[in-house]
Amino acid sequence: MGIALASPSRLASLEGRLPTVATLCSHSSLQIFHGARAEQLPTLGLSVGPPPRFYDAFPLARPDRFLSVPKVAELSGTVPALREAGAVLIPHGSFVEYLGPEAFTKLDVPVFGNRAVLGWESDRRKERDWLESAGVSMPNRYESASEVDGPVIVKYYGAKGGKGFFLAKNREALADFRPTGPYVIQEYVLGTRYYMHFFYSPLSDRGYRVGHGSLELLGMDRRDEANIDELYKLGAQEELLKAGIRPTFVVTGNVPVILRESLLGKAFDVGARIIERSIELFGGMVGPFCVEGIMTEELEFKVFEISTRIVAGTNLFISGSPYSDLVAPGLSTGRRIAQELKRAQSEGRLAEVLS
Ligand code: AMP
């Protein structure tokens, strides 16, 4: 028996019935509903405003029913209806971002995974403490511009992949920097980016064992980021700036990637360390998460960010990935979530995967 994350009262609404897989209609929700449907679980889509019409075009992913509210802030008001429906909320990037991690954490509805993790993800200092104390290599962090001794990336808090980010080649290039909010200055790591989609099951007793459960790798992508990814066409960042354009990292899409097979050991080592430390710090991170980092030419993997829930890059692999196909043919992260829910319920272990 693993760690109980949810109290019996939190789980009372699921007593004696199949859980209804519920999430906000956005981000990776089509994949989540599609996976739930494949596992014969009922589905419920939350929408702000009328349900998106284009969901009608995807009959295998359209949720069984919708619950709509006029404004995001009113999502909290759906709690009684969600409990009534036996809902389990699946957090994804837009759901947590729109509602805010604090409001999301307070919802009195069962949530898939450990909701305590959201507080560690949303605070860049806590996130660094977690990853560094796990023994994961991260880009250097500079306390002030005067310490900078090479190329850096300046990131504002909360501006995920946001417009506020910028690169500076050296300390001199930061001379005119006037921050407009809380920020961090990080070593700019040269190498190739990889976004690794993991799934941690505290229930599984086979496979790559970590803690009481096991770690799976279900896919990998790289993000297309406007306008920086096209920078090479202009030759250098200065060219963009000369043209009066600030380089940004706004995500516009995703492309599938794979790692050299010999590097998979490193990938699993990083994933396992992050899970083991999460168990010590806050009872463990359960379900999907994404480790985002850069493989350098010395083949060192430096992690700049972790997403502690399903990421949109998994949408590439609704019918399986080169990794998930080696776990079970055609397995998506959305379907894996539904499988974990079903297993937890049939074994009377919902408290270990819900919070
Ligand atoms: P983040 O909000 O931390 O996920 O960063 C957004 C984007 O900035 C990433 O997807 C990378 O393209 C880039 N990036 C972030 N940190 C670094 C770093 N230390 N070195 C190089 N590129 C980075």
Short mmCIF file of all heavy atoms in Angstrom, two decimals, residues 280-345:
data_model
loop_
_atom_site.label_atom_id
_atom_site.label_comp_id
_atom_site.label_asym_id
_atom_site.label_seq_id
_atom_site.Cartn_x
_atom_site.Cartn_y
_atom_site.Cartn_z
N GLU A 280 9.49 12.30 -0.91
CA GLU A 280 10.01 12.81 0.37
C GLU A 280 9.42 14.18 0.70
O GLU A 280 9.11 14.48 1.84
CB GLU A 280 11.54 12.95 0.30
CG GLU A 280 12.27 11.63 0.24
CD GLU A 280 13.73 11.80 -0.19
OE1 GLU A 280 14.19 12.94 -0.41
OE2 GLU A 280 14.40 10.77 -0.31
N LEU A 281 9.29 15.03 -0.32
CA LEU A 281 8.89 16.42 -0.06
C LEU A 281 7.40 16.59 0.19
O LEU A 281 6.99 17.37 1.04
CB LEU A 281 9.29 17.32 -1.24
CG LEU A 281 10.78 17.64 -1.41
CD1 LEU A 281 11.00 18.43 -2.69
CD2 LEU A 281 11.31 18.43 -0.21
N PHE A 282 6.56 15.92 -0.64
CA PHE A 282 5.12 16.19 -0.49
C PHE A 282 4.23 14.99 -0.83
O PHE A 282 3.12 15.15 -1.30
CB PHE A 282 4.71 17.42 -1.32
CG PHE A 282 5.15 17.38 -2.78
CD1 PHE A 282 4.37 16.76 -3.73
CD2 PHE A 282 6.35 17.96 -3.16
CE1 PHE A 282 4.78 16.73 -5.06
CE2 PHE A 282 6.76 17.93 -4.48
CZ PHE A 282 5.97 17.31 -5.44
N GLY A 283 4.73 13.80 -0.60
CA GLY A 283 3.89 12.62 -0.77
C GLY A 283 3.87 12.07 -2.18
O GLY A 283 3.17 11.10 -2.46
N GLY A 284 4.63 12.70 -3.10
CA GLY A 284 4.79 12.12 -4.44
C GLY A 284 3.98 12.79 -5.53
O GLY A 284 2.89 13.29 -5.29
N MET A 285 4.58 12.77 -6.72
CA MET A 285 3.87 13.28 -7.91
C MET A 285 3.33 12.04 -8.63
O MET A 285 4.08 11.10 -8.89
CB MET A 285 4.88 14.03 -8.79
CG MET A 285 4.30 14.47 -10.11
SD MET A 285 5.38 15.66 -10.94
CE MET A 285 6.92 14.76 -11.07
N VAL A 286 2.04 12.06 -8.94
CA VAL A 286 1.39 10.88 -9.50
C VAL A 286 0.86 11.20 -10.89
O VAL A 286 0.36 12.29 -11.13
CB VAL A 286 0.22 10.45 -8.57
CG1 VAL A 286 -0.70 9.44 -9.25
CG2 VAL A 286 0.76 9.91 -7.26
N GLY A 287 0.98 10.24 -11.80
CA GLY A 287 0.41 10.42 -13.15
C GLY A 287 1.38 11.11 -14.08
O GLY A 287 2.60 11.00 -13.94
N PRO A 288 0.83 11.83 -15.09
CA PRO A 288 1.70 12.39 -16.12
C PRO A 288 2.49 13.60 -15.65
O PRO A 288 2.00 14.40 -14.86
CB PRO A 288 0.72 12.82 -17.23
CG PRO A 288 -0.59 12.96 -16.58
CD PRO A 288 -0.60 12.10 -15.35
N PHE A 289 3.72 13.70 -16.13
CA PHE A 289 4.52 14.91 -15.92
C PHE A 289 5.53 15.01 -17.06
O PHE A 289 5.77 14.03 -17.77
CB PHE A 289 5.21 14.89 -14.55
CG PHE A 289 6.28 13.86 -14.34
CD1 PHE A 289 7.64 14.19 -14.42
CD2 PHE A 289 5.96 12.53 -14.06
CE1 PHE A 289 8.63 13.24 -14.21
CE2 PHE A 289 6.95 11.56 -13.86
CZ PHE A 289 8.29 11.92 -13.93
N CYS A 290 6.08 16.19 -17.26
CA CYS A 290 7.00 16.39 -18.38
C CYS A 290 8.28 17.04 -17.89
O CYS A 290 8.24 18.04 -17.19
CB CYS A 290 6.31 17.26 -19.44
SG CYS A 290 7.34 17.60 -20.88
N VAL A 291 9.41 16.44 -18.24
CA VAL A 291 10.71 16.99 -17.89
C VAL A 291 11.25 17.71 -19.11
O VAL A 291 11.36 17.12 -20.18
CB VAL A 291 11.67 15.87 -17.44
CG1 VAL A 291 13.04 16.45 -17.12
CG2 VAL A 291 11.12 15.13 -16.23
N GLU A 292 11.57 19.00 -18.95
CA GLU A 292 11.89 19.84 -20.09
C GLU A 292 13.33 20.32 -19.95
O GLU A 292 13.68 20.98 -18.96
CB GLU A 292 10.91 21.02 -20.11
CG GLU A 292 9.49 20.49 -20.07
CD GLU A 292 8.40 21.53 -19.83
OE1 GLU A 292 8.69 22.72 -19.88
OE2 GLU A 292 7.25 21.10 -19.59
N GLY A 293 14.17 19.95 -20.90
CA GLY A 293 15.57 20.31 -20.74
C GLY A 293 16.34 20.29 -22.03
O GLY A 293 15.78 20.12 -23.12
N ILE A 294 17.65 20.48 -21.88
CA ILE A 294 18.53 20.64 -23.03
C ILE A 294 19.67 19.64 -22.93
O ILE A 294 20.33 19.55 -21.89
CB ILE A 294 19.08 22.08 -23.07
CG1 ILE A 294 17.90 23.05 -23.25
CG2 ILE A 294 20.12 22.25 -24.18
CD1 ILE A 294 18.25 24.50 -23.13
N MET A 295 19.86 18.87 -23.99
CA MET A 295 20.98 17.93 -24.05
C MET A 295 22.15 18.69 -24.67
O MET A 295 22.03 19.20 -25.79
CB MET A 295 20.59 16.73 -24.92
CG MET A 295 21.46 15.54 -24.80
SD MET A 295 21.44 14.75 -23.15
CE MET A 295 19.93 13.78 -23.21
N THR A 296 23.24 18.79 -23.93
CA THR A 296 24.39 19.55 -24.44
C THR A 296 25.26 18.65 -25.31
O THR A 296 25.06 17.42 -25.35
CB THR A 296 25.25 20.07 -23.28
OG1 THR A 296 25.85 18.94 -22.63
CG2 THR A 296 24.44 20.87 -22.29
N GLU A 297 26.27 19.24 -25.95
CA GLU A 297 27.12 18.40 -26.80
C GLU A 297 27.97 17.44 -25.96
O GLU A 297 28.47 16.45 -26.47
CB GLU A 297 27.98 19.25 -27.73
CG GLU A 297 28.95 20.15 -27.02
CD GLU A 297 29.76 21.01 -27.98
OE1 GLU A 297 29.82 20.68 -29.18
OE2 GLU A 297 30.32 22.02 -27.53
N GLU A 298 28.09 17.72 -24.66
CA GLU A 298 28.78 16.76 -23.77
C GLU A 298 27.81 15.67 -23.31
O GLU A 298 28.14 14.85 -22.46
CB GLU A 298 29.34 17.47 -22.52
CG GLU A 298 30.52 18.38 -22.76
CD GLU A 298 30.13 19.76 -23.26
OE1 GLU A 298 29.00 20.21 -22.95
OE2 GLU A 298 30.92 20.37 -24.00
N LEU A 299 26.60 15.69 -23.85
CA LEU A 299 25.54 14.73 -23.53
C LEU A 299 25.14 14.82 -22.05
O LEU A 299 24.83 13.82 -21.40
CB LEU A 299 25.92 13.29 -23.91
CG LEU A 299 26.30 13.12 -25.38
CD1 LEU A 299 26.61 11.67 -25.71
CD2 LEU A 299 25.17 13.61 -26.30
N GLU A 300 25.16 16.06 -21.55
CA GLU A 300 24.63 16.29 -20.21
C GLU A 300 23.24 16.87 -20.38
O GLU A 300 23.03 17.75 -21.23
CB GLU A 300 25.52 17.29 -19.46
CG GLU A 300 25.12 17.38 -18.00
CD GLU A 300 25.81 18.53 -17.25
OE1 GLU A 300 26.57 19.28 -17.87
OE2 GLU A 300 25.55 18.66 -16.05
N PHE A 301 22.26 16.36 -19.63
CA PHE A 301 20.88 16.84 -19.76
C PHE A 301 20.61 17.85 -18.66
O PHE A 301 20.64 17.52 -17.48
CB PHE A 301 19.90 15.67 -19.68
CG PHE A 301 18.49 16.05 -20.04
CD1 PHE A 301 18.19 16.57 -21.30
CD2 PHE A 301 17.45 15.90 -19.12
CE1 PHE A 301 16.89 16.94 -21.64
CE2 PHE A 301 16.15 16.26 -19.45
CZ PHE A 301 15.87 16.78 -20.72
N LYS A 302 20.37 19.12 -19.06
CA LYS A 302 20.12 20.17 -18.07
C LYS A 302 18.63 20.53 -18.11
O LYS A 302 18.11 20.92 -19.16
CB LYS A 302 20.94 21.41 -18.39
CG LYS A 302 22.42 21.17 -18.22
CD LYS A 302 23.11 22.45 -17.82
CE LYS A 302 24.58 22.18 -17.55
NZ LYS A 302 25.25 23.34 -17.01
N VAL A 303 17.98 20.41 -16.97
CA VAL A 303 16.53 20.60 -16.89
C VAL A 303 16.22 22.05 -16.58
O VAL A 303 16.68 22.58 -15.57
CB VAL A 303 15.94 19.68 -15.80
CG1 VAL A 303 14.44 19.92 -15.64
CG2 VAL A 303 16.22 18.23 -16.13
N PHE A 304 15.45 22.73 -17.45
CA PHE A 304 15.10 24.12 -17.14
C PHE A 304 13.69 24.24 -16.60
O PHE A 304 13.32 25.28 -16.06
CB PHE A 304 15.28 25.04 -18.36
CG PHE A 304 14.52 24.65 -19.59
CD1 PHE A 304 13.18 24.94 -19.71
CD2 PHE A 304 15.16 24.00 -20.64
CE1 PHE A 304 12.46 24.59 -20.84
CE2 PHE A 304 14.46 23.65 -21.78
CZ PHE A 304 13.10 23.94 -21.88
N GLU A 305 12.88 23.18 -16.70
CA GLU A 305 11.48 23.31 -16.26
C GLU A 305 10.87 21.93 -16.12
O GLU A 305 11.26 20.98 -16.80
CB GLU A 305 10.74 24.13 -17.34
CG GLU A 305 9.25 24.23 -17.21
CD GLU A 305 8.79 25.35 -16.32
OE1 GLU A 305 9.04 25.26 -15.10
OE2 GLU A 305 8.18 26.31 -16.83
N ILE A 306 9.87 21.84 -15.23
CA ILE A 306 9.08 20.60 -15.16
C ILE A 306 7.61 20.99 -15.17
O ILE A 306 7.22 21.97 -14.55
CB ILE A 306 9.47 19.79 -13.90
CG1 ILE A 306 8.58 18.57 -13.75
CG2 ILE A 306 9.43 20.58 -12.64
CD1 ILE A 306 9.02 17.63 -12.66
N SER A 307 6.82 20.24 -15.94
CA SER A 307 5.36 20.43 -15.91
C SER A 307 4.81 19.23 -15.17
O SER A 307 5.07 18.09 -15.55
CB SER A 307 4.78 20.48 -17.32
OG SER A 307 5.22 21.64 -17.97
N THR A 308 4.01 19.50 -14.14
CA THR A 308 3.64 18.41 -13.23
C THR A 308 2.26 17.84 -13.56
O THR A 308 1.49 17.50 -12.67
CB THR A 308 3.65 18.92 -11.78
OG1 THR A 308 2.72 20.02 -11.70
CG2 THR A 308 5.02 19.40 -11.38
N ARG A 309 1.94 17.78 -14.85
CA ARG A 309 0.63 17.30 -15.30
C ARG A 309 0.76 17.02 -16.78
O ARG A 309 1.84 17.21 -17.35
CB ARG A 309 -0.43 18.37 -15.04
CG ARG A 309 0.21 19.71 -15.17
CD ARG A 309 -0.56 20.81 -15.70
NE ARG A 309 0.42 21.85 -15.97
CZ ARG A 309 0.94 22.09 -17.14
NH1 ARG A 309 0.58 21.37 -18.19
NH2 ARG A 309 1.83 23.04 -17.33
N ILE A 310 -0.33 16.60 -17.41
CA ILE A 310 -0.27 16.30 -18.84
C ILE A 310 0.12 17.56 -19.61
O ILE A 310 -0.35 18.66 -19.29
CB ILE A 310 -1.63 15.72 -19.34
CG1 ILE A 310 -1.53 15.25 -20.80
CG2 ILE A 310 -2.78 16.69 -19.16
CD1 ILE A 310 -2.75 14.45 -21.27
N VAL A 311 1.01 17.43 -20.59
CA VAL A 311 1.39 18.58 -21.43
C VAL A 311 0.78 18.41 -22.82
O VAL A 311 0.48 17.29 -23.25
CB VAL A 311 2.93 18.73 -21.55
CG1 VAL A 311 3.54 19.22 -20.25
CG2 VAL A 311 3.57 17.44 -22.04
N ALA A 312 0.64 19.55 -23.53
CA ALA A 312 -0.02 19.50 -24.83
C ALA A 312 0.78 18.72 -25.88
O ALA A 312 0.21 18.22 -26.84
CB ALA A 312 -0.29 20.93 -25.32
N GLY A 313 2.09 18.57 -25.65
CA GLY A 313 2.91 17.80 -26.59
C GLY A 313 2.46 16.35 -26.70
O GLY A 313 2.72 15.68 -27.70
N THR A 314 1.76 15.86 -25.68
CA THR A 314 1.28 14.46 -25.73
C THR A 314 0.20 14.29 -26.79
O THR A 314 -0.10 13.17 -27.20
CB THR A 314 0.72 13.99 -24.37
OG1 THR A 314 -0.38 14.85 -24.02
CG2 THR A 314 1.76 14.07 -23.27
N ASN A 315 -0.41 15.40 -27.24
CA ASN A 315 -1.44 15.31 -28.28
C ASN A 315 -0.90 14.73 -29.59
O ASN A 315 -1.67 14.28 -30.43
CB ASN A 315 -2.04 16.70 -28.58
CG ASN A 315 -2.89 17.21 -27.43
OD1 ASN A 315 -3.39 16.42 -26.62
ND2 ASN A 315 -3.05 18.52 -27.34
N LEU A 316 0.42 14.75 -29.74
CA LEU A 316 1.03 14.14 -30.93
C LEU A 316 0.80 12.63 -30.94
O LEU A 316 0.87 12.00 -31.99
CB LEU A 316 2.54 14.37 -30.92
CG LEU A 316 3.03 15.78 -31.25
CD1 LEU A 316 4.48 15.93 -30.82
CD2 LEU A 316 2.90 16.01 -32.75
N PHE A 317 0.56 12.07 -29.77
CA PHE A 317 0.63 10.60 -29.64
C PHE A 317 -0.70 9.99 -29.21
O PHE A 317 -0.72 9.08 -28.41
CB PHE A 317 1.76 10.23 -28.67
CG PHE A 317 3.08 10.88 -29.03
CD1 PHE A 317 3.70 11.76 -28.17
CD2 PHE A 317 3.66 10.62 -30.27
CE1 PHE A 317 4.91 12.36 -28.51
CE2 PHE A 317 4.87 11.23 -30.62
CZ PHE A 317 5.50 12.10 -29.74
N ILE A 318 -1.81 10.51 -29.76
CA ILE A 318 -3.13 9.99 -29.40
C ILE A 318 -3.25 8.52 -29.81
O ILE A 318 -3.95 7.73 -29.18
CB ILE A 318 -4.24 10.87 -30.02
CG1 ILE A 318 -4.27 12.20 -29.25
CG2 ILE A 318 -5.60 10.17 -30.01
CD1 ILE A 318 -5.33 13.18 -29.69
N SER A 319 -2.53 8.12 -30.86
CA SER A 319 -2.58 6.70 -31.23
C SER A 319 -1.24 6.01 -30.94
O SER A 319 -0.87 5.06 -31.60
CB SER A 319 -2.98 6.55 -32.69
OG SER A 319 -2.20 7.41 -33.48
N GLY A 320 -0.52 6.52 -29.95
CA GLY A 320 0.72 5.87 -29.53
C GLY A 320 1.95 6.63 -29.99
O GLY A 320 1.88 7.49 -30.86
N SER A 321 3.07 6.33 -29.34
CA SER A 321 4.35 6.97 -29.69
C SER A 321 5.39 5.86 -29.81
O SER A 321 5.15 4.73 -29.42
CB SER A 321 4.77 7.94 -28.58
OG SER A 321 5.42 7.23 -27.54
N PRO A 322 6.59 6.19 -30.34
CA PRO A 322 7.64 5.16 -30.40
C PRO A 322 7.99 4.59 -29.02
O PRO A 322 8.58 3.52 -28.93
CB PRO A 322 8.83 5.92 -31.00
CG PRO A 322 8.25 7.09 -31.71
CD PRO A 322 7.01 7.45 -30.94
N TYR A 323 7.65 5.30 -27.96
CA TYR A 323 7.92 4.79 -26.60
C TYR A 323 6.70 4.08 -26.03
O TYR A 323 6.79 2.96 -25.54
CB TYR A 323 8.36 5.93 -25.67
CG TYR A 323 9.63 6.58 -26.15
CD1 TYR A 323 9.65 7.89 -26.61
CD2 TYR A 323 10.82 5.85 -26.19
CE1 TYR A 323 10.83 8.47 -27.08
CE2 TYR A 323 12.00 6.43 -26.66
CZ TYR A 323 11.99 7.74 -27.11
OH TYR A 323 13.15 8.30 -27.58
N SER A 324 5.51 4.74 -26.11
CA SER A 324 4.34 4.12 -25.48
C SER A 324 3.94 2.83 -26.19
O SER A 324 3.39 1.92 -25.58
CB SER A 324 3.16 5.09 -25.44
OG SER A 324 2.58 5.25 -26.70
N ASP A 325 4.27 2.72 -27.50
CA ASP A 325 3.96 1.47 -28.21
C ASP A 325 4.73 0.28 -27.63
O ASP A 325 4.36 -0.87 -27.83
CB ASP A 325 4.30 1.60 -29.70
CG ASP A 325 3.17 2.26 -30.49
OD1 ASP A 325 2.04 2.33 -29.95
OD2 ASP A 325 3.41 2.71 -31.62
N LEU A 326 5.80 0.57 -26.90
CA LEU A 326 6.57 -0.51 -26.28
C LEU A 326 6.05 -0.83 -24.87
O LEU A 326 6.54 -1.74 -24.20
CB LEU A 326 8.06 -0.13 -26.21
CG LEU A 326 8.67 0.33 -27.54
CD1 LEU A 326 10.15 0.69 -27.38
CD2 LEU A 326 8.52 -0.75 -28.61
N VAL A 327 5.05 -0.04 -24.42
CA VAL A 327 4.39 -0.31 -23.14
C VAL A 327 3.08 -1.06 -23.45
O VAL A 327 2.81 -2.13 -22.90
CB VAL A 327 4.09 1.00 -22.37
CG1 VAL A 327 3.36 0.72 -21.06
CG2 VAL A 327 5.38 1.77 -22.11
N ALA A 328 2.28 -0.49 -24.35
CA ALA A 328 1.06 -1.13 -24.84
C ALA A 328 0.75 -0.47 -26.18
O ALA A 328 0.85 0.76 -26.29
CB ALA A 328 -0.09 -0.93 -23.87
N PRO A 329 0.38 -1.24 -27.21
CA PRO A 329 0.18 -0.64 -28.53
C PRO A 329 -0.87 0.46 -28.51
O PRO A 329 -1.93 0.31 -27.88
CB PRO A 329 -0.28 -1.82 -29.40
CG PRO A 329 0.12 -3.04 -28.64
CD PRO A 329 0.16 -2.68 -27.19
N GLY A 330 -0.57 1.57 -29.16
CA GLY A 330 -1.55 2.64 -29.33
C GLY A 330 -1.89 3.42 -28.06
O GLY A 330 -2.90 4.10 -28.01
N LEU A 331 -1.03 3.34 -27.05
CA LEU A 331 -1.36 3.95 -25.75
C LEU A 331 -1.06 5.46 -25.73
O LEU A 331 0.06 5.86 -26.00
CB LEU A 331 -0.54 3.26 -24.65
CG LEU A 331 -0.77 3.74 -23.22
CD1 LEU A 331 -2.21 3.45 -22.77
CD2 LEU A 331 0.22 3.08 -22.26
N SER A 332 -2.08 6.26 -25.41
CA SER A 332 -1.86 7.71 -25.23
C SER A 332 -1.77 8.01 -23.74
O SER A 332 -2.16 7.19 -22.90
CB SER A 332 -3.04 8.50 -25.83
OG SER A 332 -4.19 8.34 -25.02
N THR A 333 -1.30 9.20 -23.41
CA THR A 333 -1.26 9.60 -22.00
C THR A 333 -2.69 9.70 -21.46
O THR A 333 -2.97 9.31 -20.33
CB THR A 333 -0.51 10.94 -21.85
OG1 THR A 333 0.85 10.75 -22.26
CG2 THR A 333 -0.50 11.43 -20.42
N GLY A 334 -3.61 10.22 -22.29
CA GLY A 334 -5.02 10.32 -21.86
C GLY A 334 -5.59 8.95 -21.49
O GLY A 334 -6.25 8.80 -20.46
N ARG A 335 -5.29 7.97 -22.31
CA ARG A 335 -5.80 6.63 -22.03
C ARG A 335 -5.12 6.03 -20.79
O ARG A 335 -5.75 5.33 -20.00
CB ARG A 335 -5.58 5.72 -23.25
CG ARG A 335 -6.22 4.37 -23.05
CD ARG A 335 -6.42 3.62 -24.32
NE ARG A 335 -7.17 2.40 -24.04
CZ ARG A 335 -7.53 1.52 -24.94
NH1 ARG A 335 -7.24 1.73 -26.21
NH2 ARG A 335 -8.19 0.44 -24.59
N ARG A 336 -3.83 6.36 -20.64
CA ARG A 336 -3.09 5.83 -19.49
C ARG A 336 -3.70 6.35 -18.17
O ARG A 336 -3.76 5.64 -17.18
CB ARG A 336 -1.61 6.24 -19.62
CG ARG A 336 -0.71 5.63 -18.58
CD ARG A 336 -0.62 4.13 -18.71
NE ARG A 336 0.05 3.52 -17.57
CZ ARG A 336 -0.53 3.26 -16.40
NH1 ARG A 336 -1.82 3.54 -16.20
NH2 ARG A 336 0.15 2.72 -15.41
N ILE A 337 -4.16 7.61 -18.20
CA ILE A 337 -4.80 8.20 -17.02
C ILE A 337 -6.06 7.40 -16.68
O ILE A 337 -6.30 7.01 -15.53
CB ILE A 337 -5.16 9.69 -17.27
CG1 ILE A 337 -3.89 10.54 -17.38
CG2 ILE A 337 -6.09 10.23 -16.17
CD1 ILE A 337 -4.13 11.98 -17.85
N ALA A 338 -6.87 7.12 -17.72
CA ALA A 338 -8.12 6.39 -17.51
C ALA A 338 -7.84 4.98 -16.97
O ALA A 338 -8.54 4.48 -16.08
CB ALA A 338 -8.90 6.32 -18.82
N GLN A 339 -6.78 4.35 -17.49
CA GLN A 339 -6.44 3.00 -17.02
C GLN A 339 -6.06 3.02 -15.54
O GLN A 339 -6.46 2.13 -14.77
CB GLN A 339 -5.24 2.45 -17.81
CG GLN A 339 -5.57 2.11 -19.24
CD GLN A 339 -4.34 1.67 -20.04
OE1 GLN A 339 -3.21 1.89 -19.62
NE2 GLN A 339 -4.57 1.07 -21.19
N GLU A 340 -5.31 4.05 -15.15
CA GLU A 340 -4.86 4.14 -13.75
C GLU A 340 -6.06 4.33 -12.82
O GLU A 340 -6.14 3.75 -11.74
CB GLU A 340 -3.87 5.30 -13.61
CG GLU A 340 -3.11 5.34 -12.31
CD GLU A 340 -1.97 4.32 -12.22
OE1 GLU A 340 -1.84 3.45 -13.11
OE2 GLU A 340 -1.21 4.38 -11.24
N LEU A 341 -7.00 5.17 -13.28
CA LEU A 341 -8.21 5.41 -12.49
C LEU A 341 -9.00 4.13 -12.29
O LEU A 341 -9.45 3.81 -11.19
CB LEU A 341 -9.11 6.38 -13.26
CG LEU A 341 -9.16 7.83 -12.87
CD1 LEU A 341 -10.07 8.59 -13.82
CD2 LEU A 341 -9.66 7.95 -11.44
N LYS A 342 -9.17 3.38 -13.40
CA LYS A 342 -9.95 2.14 -13.32
C LYS A 342 -9.28 1.12 -12.39
O LYS A 342 -9.91 0.48 -11.58
CB LYS A 342 -10.09 1.53 -14.72
CG LYS A 342 -11.30 2.07 -15.46
CD LYS A 342 -11.37 1.60 -16.87
CE LYS A 342 -11.76 0.15 -17.01
NZ LYS A 342 -11.97 -0.20 -18.44
N ARG A 343 -7.95 1.04 -12.56
CA ARG A 343 -7.22 0.08 -11.72
C ARG A 343 -7.33 0.46 -10.25
O ARG A 343 -7.57 -0.39 -9.38
CB ARG A 343 -5.75 0.02 -12.15
CG ARG A 343 -4.95 -0.88 -11.24
CD ARG A 343 -3.56 -1.15 -11.76
NE ARG A 343 -2.85 -2.00 -10.81
CZ ARG A 343 -1.65 -2.46 -10.99
NH1 ARG A 343 -1.00 -2.20 -12.09
NH2 ARG A 343 -1.07 -3.22 -10.06
N ALA A 344 -7.14 1.76 -9.96
CA ALA A 344 -7.19 2.22 -8.57
C ALA A 344 -8.56 1.90 -7.98
O ALA A 344 -8.68 1.47 -6.83
CB ALA A 344 -6.91 3.71 -8.50
N GLN A 345 -9.60 2.10 -8.77
CA GLN A 345 -10.93 1.83 -8.23
C GLN A 345 -11.14 0.33 -7.99
O GLN A 345 -11.62 -0.06 -6.93
CB GLN A 345 -12.02 2.38 -9.15
CG GLN A 345 -13.35 2.34 -8.43
CD GLN A 345 -14.45 2.95 -9.23
OE1 GLN A 345 -14.62 2.62 -10.40
NE2 GLN A 345 -15.22 3.82 -8.62
#
